[in-house]
Structures are given as C-alpha cells and as structure tokens.
C-alpha cells in the first residue's frame, strides 16, 4: 500500500467514525461523551484532509483552485505496482 493510499484510508476511517457518531447523536443529543468523540474525529478528519491536500492536491473541486483539481491525476490514472 502506497503512502497516499494509507493516508486516504486513515482519512476515510476518521470520516466514517465522525458520520456514525453524527447519526448516533441524532437520537442521543445529550450524550456528552459522544459529542466529545464526534468533535475529536471532526478535528482528525480536518487535519488529515489538510495533510492529504498539501501532499497530493485537492480532494474535491470545492477545495483548492479549480484548475489544480483538473490537472491532478484521476483515480484511473493510478496503477498498482507490477501491473
């Protein structure tokens, strides 16, 4: 697994945990422990997004400059080693 893929996996995991906590908080809005955890994962996802974008470019057209988004390699431009 490349460093880029590892970073994307960490980001995806943080975003998933945040979303699950967000949904839990819809039915348990007073759970202070869950609120703190959701905040922690939100901060982690933001930091990982910033790290990824500083190394590999924008993750979406909303971040960075539009021209930058168009010039970055698309997912199908990446190949696995040995193929």
């Amino acid at each position: 697994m490349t460093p880029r893929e590892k970073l994307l996996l960490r980001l995806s995991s943080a975003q998933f945990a945040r979303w699950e906590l967000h949904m839990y908080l819809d039915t348990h809005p007073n759970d202070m422990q869950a609120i703190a955890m959701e905040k922690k994962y939100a901060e982690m996802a933001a930091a990982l997004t910033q790290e990824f974008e500083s190394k590999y470019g924008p993750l979406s057209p909303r971040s960075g400059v539009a021209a930058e988004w168009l010039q970055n390699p698309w997912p199908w431009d990446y190949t696995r080693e040995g193929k």
Side-chain angles (χ1 to χ4, degrees), residues 37-79:
M37 287 175 61
E38 194 271 341
K39 182 180 177 186
K40 178 184 112 177
Y41 282 108
E43 291 169 355
M44 185 185 303
L48 289 167
T49 298
Q50 184 177 17
E51 180 182 350
F52 183 91
E53 289 182 342
S54 70
K55 290 180 179 179
Y56 304 106
L59 281 166
S60 75
R62 294 185 201 136
S63 56
V65 178
E68 214 178 299
W69 168 259
L70 294 172
Q71 293 175 9
N72 283 332
W74 292 84
W76 51 84
D77 292 333
Y78 292 96
T79 59

Side-chain angles (χ1 to χ4, degrees), residues 2-55:
T2 67
R4 181 182 184 279
E5 291 171 328
K6 288 179 185 178
L7 186 53
L8 273 176
L9 183 61
R10 289 176 53 214
L11 174 58
S12 178
S13 297
Q15 290 172 330
F16 176 80
R18 180 184 184 202
W19 182 251
E20 289 294 313
L21 285 162
H22 172 81
M23 290 192 303
Y24 172 81
L25 287 167
D26 283 346
T27 57
H28 301 81
N30 299 320
D31 187 336
M32 299 309 283
Q33 185 178 5
I35 291 170
M37 287 175 61
E38 194 271 341
K39 182 180 177 186
K40 178 184 112 177
Y41 282 108
E43 291 169 355
M44 185 185 303
L48 289 167
T49 298
Q50 184 177 17
E51 180 182 350
F52 183 91
E53 289 182 342
S54 70
K55 290 180 179 179

